[in-house]
Amino acid sequence: MRFPFLLIIGVYTFCAAGLALIPGTDPATGEPGSPMSLFDAFYVVSFTSTTIGFGEVPHPYNAMQRMWLTGTIYISVAAWSYSLVNVLALLQDKGFQNAVRIANFTRHVNQIRSPFYIVCGIGETGRMVCHGLDHLGLRFVVLEINDERLQELRMEDFSVDPPSVRADAKDPTLLRQAGLMNPNCRGVVALTDDDPTNQAIAVNVRLLAPRVPVLARIRDTETETHIGVFGGDLVINPFEQFAESLAAAITAPERYRLRNLITGLPGSVITVIDPPPKGHWIMCGYGRFGHMMAEELRSVGMSLTVIDELHFGDPGVDIKGSGSKSEDLKAAGIDTAVGLVAGNASDPKNLSIAVTARALKHDLYVVVRQNQMKNTPLIDAFDENLLMVPSQIVAREFLARITTPLLNRFLRLIPQHNEAECADLHRRLSSLNPGHYPEIWDLTIKLSRAPALMDLVNAGGRFTVGHLRADPFNRGRRLAMVVLLVRRANKNIQLPDDDFVLRSGDRILLAGSLTAKRHLDLILRNANTLNYVMTGQESNGGTVWRWLTRNHPPAIVPLPGESECLPPLEHETESLEAASDPDGEGAGGKADPPVG
């Protein structure tokens, strides 16, 4: 890139200097005169080289000057031609274009001033994760090696256009340029099509930025183990995840429902799932998914018959066939079976099996594996009991865990609860936002997140879970919110009661409605609102007054007894309007506390 420009500069310098050294001719007398000035020589060479042709200025030339300018024309035109050809070739070079794209991508990433995530790979699962992050109001950047997928992503609708670039995500340099070292980077999601690349991304992130959580999708259990050695925070195998979930749904349906409720996309409509029955099952397809399903079903004591044509002869396969023929299903004992899993890698084949099975036994519990989202209309046309979509399983798990790191710890604690406890907690969480998945978020009691509360705690005030759940507009009521877990140092406190005292540095996992989340943020940040929650007294103190009284926490007045929670989601708008009306009355008919 430099040589063409240096060539132009050199040609101009040589031609202008030579012209300035040639003696001129006095136009009046015809006698030899002084040469052109260096500026006049440069001016003449400039318009001569660009073939503009202003004539012989500033005065007629002599023969020597004309000869020099003739040479200048040929040399400069040749130099310009050579340079332009090289510049055009450079602009069409793929490597140069990619370098420009990466430079623009890096510039856009550096302009992000809010928390963001890096999504590596935007297949079906990656796009779901992107839309989920966008739904939650979170920024993200995209690395994808397939240009066609990038073009499709750019055509989709997001609240803010995400920075994206065509690049190999396992390149550590590109991960840095994507903002891995940026303090606003909250996590990396590895969702490329092959396990080794996801493994490399996980390892690179672990070595370059240990503070950043990385979540990787894998399909090979050997790869999963290898990533675990390098400390990957979360590795999800969708087949294994679903197999374990189905087995758990058979043996512990309430625990399964609770887990499904917590990991659902906040605000979306809850999908009601019929619990799978216990008894004899038929498994059609014995690939990776079939292996894991068979292993999990047998581990929970279900009798199982496996149908597969390709793997017939392998241990565990009972009948040779596809399962789409009634003879295969009858031989597998469909008359006595309670459930069937169509788990092949082909959607039409799975639907064929499901339709045949339902025709033979209408009340059979049918689980269908959907491999491609484009077949959703076909799947929807069949009334299956349970649908297994690998991309959705991975996307849901990733979104739930990467946006709420404490949730992962709580999910590991759920098996400690019996069925009755899980049913009770499911009932409580379902009532927070009826018909919809609740918001799940975590909170750390620190200055940047809860400045008003930190002033209170530092002054010796006692702030309890009950205060956390109090309605900032009527402290006699409780927000539609449940404290699921408090993480204090290395100790887990599950479902603390209202008298539990919170401390600085506590990490809290909460579930609730969107209104409750906003009202809680008001309590944590506004000292006057916090004072109302603690004492029931309204305060209009400004910054100076709060600074003078910072060492004197308010006298705590016990909270009134718990009554009903805030109205459900359909009334959230009204509640927010009441909260924003300074002259009106807040929820419950009492005046709003001062905000300022």
Side-chain angles (χ1 to χ4, degrees):
M1 187 70 181
R2 292 179 181 176
F3 181 73
F5 290 101
L6 293 175
L7 179 63
I8 294 294
I9 293 173
V11 168
Y12 271 56
T13 302
F14 175 75
C15 294
L19 185 60
L21 293 175
I22 299 174
T25 302
D26 188 337
T29 63
E31 297 296 326
S34 57
M36 290 185 187
S37 66
L38 192 59
F39 176 77
D40 286 341
F42 176 74
Y43 172 67
V44 172
V45 169
S46 296
F47 71 70
T48 301
S49 301
T50 52
T51 67
I52 294 177
F54 282 162
E56 296 185 350
V57 293
H59 48 71
Y61 306 149
N62 57 31
M64 184 61 71
Q65 288 173 318
R66 292 188 183 115
M67 184 178 297
W68 183 262
L69 286 172
T70 301
T72 297
I73 293 173
Y74 289 111
I75 294 174
S76 59
V77 169
W80 270 114
S81 300
Y82 173 82
S83 300
L84 289 175
V85 169
N86 278 273
V87 169
L88 290 175
L90 181 64
L91 293 176
Q92 294 179 346
D93 183 75
K94 297 294 184 184
F96 178 79
Q97 293 175 355
N98 196 46
V100 172
R101 281 197 293 265
I102 290 176
N104 290 332
F105 168 75
T106 305
R107 180 167 52 83
H108 288 142
V109 170
N110 292 335
Q111 291 174 349
I112 299 177
R113 295 291 180 267
S114 56
F116 68 91
Y117 296 85
I118 301 174
V119 180
C120 305
I122 49 168
E124 286 186 353
T125 308
R127 285 205 297 274
M128 287 182 187
V129 170
C130 291
H131 281 285
L133 291 171
D134 186 66
H135 173 79
L136 296 172
L138 298 169
R139 299 287 305 272
F140 58 94
V141 302
V142 173
L143 297 176
E144 168 60 54
I145 200 167
N146 188 316
D147 198 43
E148 185 177 345
R149 287 181 176 177
L150 275 179
Q151 296 298 331
E152 292 175 355
L153 183 77
R154 287 166 184 156
M155 296 296 292
E156 297 184 15
D157 186 27
F158 294 103
S159 56
V160 179
D161 290 336
S164 60
V165 70
R166 179 179 178 274
D168 187 354
K170 66 176 180 292
D171 186 339
T173 303
L174 287 171
L175 282 173
R176 283 173 175 269
Q177 292 171 319
L180 179 63
M181 311 305 290
N182 191 311
N184 288 323
C185 181
R186 291 293 184 268
V188 177
V189 183
L191 293 171
T192 65
D193 292 334
D194 64 322
D195 290 352
T197 300
N198 293 334
Q199 175 194 17
I201 294 170
V203 173
N204 289 340
V205 174
R206 185 56 45 204
L207 294 176
L208 294 174
R211 67 169 182 83
V212 177
V214 55
L215 292 84
R217 175 186 59 188
I218 58 97
R219 297 185 179 90
D220 191 315
T221 53
E222 294 297 326
T223 307
E224 178 182 5
T225 302
H226 196 49
I227 290 179
V229 171
F230 287 91
D233 286 352
L234 176 63
V235 179
I236 291 180
N237 184 321
F239 300 149
E240 183 177 290
Q241 188 82 18
F242 183 81
E244 291 178 354
S245 297
L246 182 61
I250 294 174
T251 57
E254 295 300 335
R255 192 175 297 159
Y256 170 76
R257 290 175 63 216
L258 176 60
R259 181 188 178 90
N260 185 63
L261 182 67
I262 293 175
T263 57
L265 183 63
S268 59
V269 177
I270 294 177
T271 303
V272 179
I273 300 174
D274 298 328
K278 295 181 180 179
H280 178 62
W281 282 72
I282 299 173
M283 177 75 223
C284 299
Y286 202 59
R288 289 176 299 176
F289 174 62
H291 271 86
M292 293 179 183
M293 282 299 309
E295 183 177 339
E296 289 294 335
L297 289 174
R298 284 169 174 152
S299 69
V300 296
M302 300 298 107
S303 67
L304 182 69
T305 300
V306 177
I307 303 174
D308 193 287
E309 189 164 11
L310 182 62
H311 297 92
F312 182 71
D314 293 351
V317 180
D318 304 299
I319 298 174
K320 183 179 182 180
S322 64
S324 58
K325 297 179 180 178
S326 58
E327 292 78 10
D328 299 338
L329 297 176
K330 289 178 180 177
I334 194 170
D335 293 337
T336 59
V338 296
L340 176 142
V341 180
N344 294 284
S346 167
D347 289 342
K349 188 175 182 179
N350 289 336
L351 283 173
S352 174
I353 294 170
V355 170
T356 304
R358 269 289 167 73
L360 294 173
K361 191 172 185 179
H362 70 279
D363 59 346
L364 188 70
Y365 193 97
V366 178
V367 179
V368 176
R369 171 185 169 186
Q370 181 181 350
N371 301 279
Q372 296 181 316
M373 295 304 296
K374 66 181 181 182
N375 293 322
T376 297
L378 293 176
I379 300 293
D380 289 344
F382 179 78
D383 184 24
E384 80 287 340
N385 297 95
L386 192 58
L387 182 64
M388 188 270 177
V389 186
S391 56
Q392 288 184 354
I393 292 173
V394 176
R396 283 183 54 179
E397 287 284 332
F398 277 6
L399 283 171
R401 299 192 188 200
I402 199 170
T403 58
T404 315
L406 208 55
L407 177 60
N408 195 25
R409 187 175 300 278
F410 184 74
L411 291 176
R412 293 200 298 265
L413 297 174
I414 287 180
Q416 297 178 2
H417 298 270
N418 58 39
E419 284 288 280
E421 292 171 339
C422 289
D424 180 62
L425 183 56
H426 183 276
R427 179 188 56 77
R428 292 171 59 190
L429 297 180
S430 299
S431 66
L432 298 176
N433 189 2
H436 298 79
Y437 290 103
E439 298 281 335
I440 305 290
W441 74 100
D442 56 16
L443 162 70
T444 301
I445 298 181
K446 58 182 181 180
L447 187 61
S448 60
R449 183 67 180 83
L453 178 57
M454 281 302 296
D455 288 342
L456 175 73
V457 172
N458 291 336
R462 289 169 58 86
F463 187 80
T464 66
V465 168
H467 294 119
L468 195 73
R469 297 178 56 230
D471 185 347
F473 304 103
N474 183 350
R475 67 193 297 266
R477 299 175 53 181
R478 302 292 182 270
L479 297 174
M481 185 172 69
V482 173
V483 178
L484 297 174
L485 177 70
V486 175
R487 178 74 174 169
R488 177 173 294 169
N490 294 324
K491 186 177 180 181
N492 298 318
I493 301 98
Q494 300 183 59
L495 303 171
D497 57 32
D498 281 356
D499 296 329
F500 184 82
V501 178
L502 299 171
R503 298 177 184 172
S504 173
D506 282 350
R507 297 172 61 199
I508 308 168
L509 180 66
L510 304 112
S513 67
L514 187 58
T515 298
K517 185 177 181 180
R518 291 170 177 168
H519 286 182
L520 174 60
D521 195 56
L522 182 63
I523 295 173
L524 299 175
R525 294 183 178 278
N526 190 284
N528 294 332
T529 305
L530 177 62
N531 182 74
Y532 170 75
V533 168
M534 298 294 294
T535 67
Q537 301 296 318
E538 298 179 4
S539 171
N540 292 314
T543 303
V544 175
W545 175 253
R546 290 198 296 271
W547 182 80
L548 293 173
T549 60
R550 67 189 187 282
N551 294 324
H552 302 283
I556 299 174
V557 177
L559 289 167
E562 181 173 356
S563 58
E564 76 278 16
C565 293
L566 279 179
L569 186 62
E570 55 266 29
H571 301 302
E572 284 186 355
T573 304
E574 298 175 6
S575 179
L576 287 174
E577 289 174 353
S580 61
D581 182 7
D583 299 324
E585 291 189 344
K590 290 192 176 182
D592 294 353
V595 178

